[in-house]
Amino acid sequence: MSERFAVGAQAVREHVVRAEDCATNWENDLPVLATPVLLWLAEVTSMKVLEDDLDPAEMTVGFKHDNAQHVAATPEGWTVTVTATVTEVDGRMLTFSVEAHDGVEVVYRGTHVRAVIDREKFLRRFEEKVARS
């Protein structure tokens, strides 16, 4: 598996901060980019790194965020550029260094880990769980 996923592989995603991305939608009164949205951007940008290297029967799932630091506020309407870089491949576990910049300063940095899994097996387990409830 490690041959498919190269340390140093990278993806970049730009995201314009919308009203629905602001902390005011997360029980906060500040109209700035919300931390949960930055975490989501870290995940989807990390997924983008892998999109051409996954087999059709595979998918990735978020496993954890480490050292997530939302270090500066970004107003609505600004563009955030998120960069995710593979830093480690350990079997099915892939570690990414993620950084986001709003054109003025770094606003987020952290580590995200994703697991490569079998899509059909995951969906089968999920459907069984739902059926039990």
Side-chain angles (χ1 to χ4, degrees), residues 30-43:
L30 299 174
V32 298
L33 180 60
T35 303
V37 176
L38 275 171
L39 292 172
W40 168 74
L41 288 168
E43 291 210 13

Side-chain angles (χ1 to χ4, degrees), residues 30-91:
L30 299 174
V32 298
L33 180 60
T35 303
V37 176
L38 275 171
L39 292 172
W40 168 74
L41 288 168
E43 291 210 13
V44 296
T45 306
S46 297
M47 291 167 59
K48 185 176 177 180
V49 176
L50 308 173
E51 65 189 5
D52 294 332
D53 297 320
L54 291 171
D55 292 333
E58 295 175 319
M59 63 185 284
T60 63
V61 292
F63 184 71
K64 68 179 175 174
H65 288 273
D66 283 332
N67 305 315
Q69 301 173 12
H70 186 172
V71 296
T74 304
E76 181 181 345
W78 286 35
T79 299
V80 173
T81 302
V82 183
T83 304
T85 306
V86 177
T87 58
E88 182 180 352
V89 178
D90 184 9

Side-chain angles (χ1 to χ4, degrees), residues 1-18:
M1 172 152 324
S2 60
E3 305 84 46
R4 287 193 294 155
F5 306 111
V7 170
Q10 190 174 80
V12 177
R13 178 187 179 112
E14 290 187 346
H15 180 82
V16 177
V17 179
R18 306 162 298 181

Side-chain angles (χ1 to χ4, degrees), residues 128-133:
E128 289 169 359
K129 179 179 182 176
V130 171
R132 287 193 310 265
S133 62

